Amino acid sequence: SSNVDTAAPDTNHNPDMMYDVKHFDAYREAMTAVMSHDKMQRTLSKFEKKNDANVKLVAKLKEWVLSDHRIIDKEVVGDRWNNLEKHWREGWMVGGASSLMDDSGSSDNNGGPVSNVMKSELKAQNELFQSKLLHADDDDEEEYNQEGGKDPQTFNQMAQLLFTALGRYCAERARSVPMEVAWYKVKESGLV
């Protein structure tokens, strides 16, 4: 059986999906509920009040989390995660779970070099993702950056808040399907 995508191509995104359409519908419903919650609305509003650039950042974040299109090509995400999986397995065999996120950077076989590779891969993925998502249609990029916007950590903090709230929402309702889509979004963005 073959899957044929009959949707019109979007010139801004790769139309290949990483997940089932029904899964995405469940994800969108759950994420919309999370973003509509009063507490999340207040939290996002606080970010927006810090400066005008954060208003644009929150808008981009909302657009991305609810979009069923990729920002990064499937092959780029796949290659990076295959590389990370290889290093994860090597680190696990050498030093166990705690060694994988060891900040020491030492090379005494406790996982330091492996965790550094993982961190650099994740950072590279996050930088690529943010450059494609946040800088795609900037005419006033220099002015926008002077306003204090486009801080990678601000975007990451807001995205992590949303995905954490989504995880809590799904756990309380014993729903796993939305988290399958969320995992693809997390991998695409390099948030892990």
Side-chain angles (χ1 to χ4, degrees):
S1 70
S2 67
N3 294 336
V4 177
D5 185 7
T6 58
D10 182 338
T11 58
N12 294 322
H13 304 287
N14 181 344
D16 293 337
M17 297 298 118
M18 294 178 78
Y19 35 75
D20 182 276
V21 173
K22 291 178 185 173
H23 289 189
F24 187 80
D25 290 343
Y27 162 83
R28 186 186 313 228
E29 179 184 322
M31 183 57 85
T32 300
V34 165
M35 290 192 318
S36 300
H37 191 273
D38 288 343
K39 186 174 180 182
M40 184 58 69
Q41 290 285 324
R42 285 191 303 272
T43 300
L44 292 176
S45 179
K46 285 180 187 177
F47 275 112
E48 290 175 324
K49 288 178 182 173
K50 288 183 180 179
N51 59 51
D52 289 341
N54 280 0
V55 173
K56 295 175 188 176
L57 204 60
V58 168
K60 285 282 192 181
L61 175 64
K62 288 178 178 179
E63 178 185 325
W64 170 66
V65 297
L66 294 177
S67 173
D68 61 354
H69 288 83
R70 297 174 188 274
I71 302 300
I72 307 293
D73 289 333
K74 181 165 104 174
E75 293 76 24
V76 173
V77 175
D79 290 347
R80 187 167 318 278
W81 282 89
N82 288 339
N83 191 18
L84 282 172
E85 184 176 341
K86 173 185 171 247
H87 288 287
W88 178 269
R89 288 175 194 235
E90 290 171 4
W92 187 272
M93 290 173 17
V94 171
S98 63
S99 68
L100 291 171
M101 292 301 169
D102 181 14
D103 281 331
S104 68
S106 65
S107 57
D108 60 356
N109 290 336
N110 72 353
V114 173
S115 66
N116 287 339
V117 168
M118 289 181 67
K119 288 177 185 178
S120 68
E121 288 286 340
L122 291 170
K123 183 178 180 188
Q125 180 68 24
N126 187 256
E127 288 171 355
L128 174 64
F129 170 77
Q130 287 198 34
S131 72
K132 292 211 179 237
L133 178 70
L134 302 177
H135 300 288
D137 53 13
D138 284 349
D139 294 330
D140 59 346
E141 184 175 330
E142 186 175 321
E143 176 186 331
Y144 191 42
N145 285 331
Q146 289 174 354
E147 293 177 28
K150 302 220 174 155
D151 173 25
Q153 289 309 105
T154 301
F155 180 88
N156 290 345
Q157 287 172 346
M158 291 188 302
Q160 287 169 349
L161 281 172
L162 281 175
F163 286 118
T164 300
L166 178 67
R168 195 170 26 257
Y169 176 90
C170 290
E172 290 169 354
R173 290 158 182 79
R175 294 184 189 167
S176 64
V177 170
M179 294 309 296
E180 291 178 33
V181 174
W183 177 236
Y184 287 117
K185 293 265 187 194
V186 166
K187 289 194 308 186
E188 178 185 40
S189 66
L191 282 173
V192 177

